[in-house]
Amino acid sequence: MTDGLSLKIKSVAASIRKQREEKNYTQEYLAAKLKISQNAYSKIELGYTKITLERLFQIADILETNITTLIGVGKSEAA
């Protein structure tokens, strides 16, 4: 995996965690909603697990945000 791609994955993972914390949701809550273990969910937030587009949409739906917020579309254009 290239360094750039790895950084993007970590950025998405950090964005998911930030959105979850802003909603005061626990990892256990999101894991239950996604029907996965808390450990599996933790790996998503740490960027250890590659997530599918479907899973990304599910997370965005639970967090009541849109997918572009999670992937940071528009951040680099604003700089």
Side-chain angles (χ1 to χ4, degrees), residues 19-72:
Q19 292 290 321
R20 176 183 61 78
E21 289 175 342
E22 286 178 2
K23 295 275 187 189
N24 292 317
Y25 291 162
T26 63
Q27 286 187 347
E28 290 84 2
Y29 175 78
L30 258 79
K33 288 289 203 176
L34 295 169
K35 297 180 175 62
I36 60 175
S37 71
Q38 182 274 327
N39 189 43
Y41 180 78
S42 176
K43 289 178 181 177
I44 290 172
E45 282 193 3
L46 292 171
Y48 296 161
T49 301
K50 291 180 182 177
I51 59 174
T52 64
L53 189 57
E54 179 182 358
R55 179 71 77 202
L56 194 57
F57 274 110
Q58 289 172 333
I59 292 169
D61 188 49
I62 294 164
L63 295 173
E64 299 171 347
T65 190
N66 58 49
I67 198 167
T68 57
T69 300
L70 296 180
I71 61 174

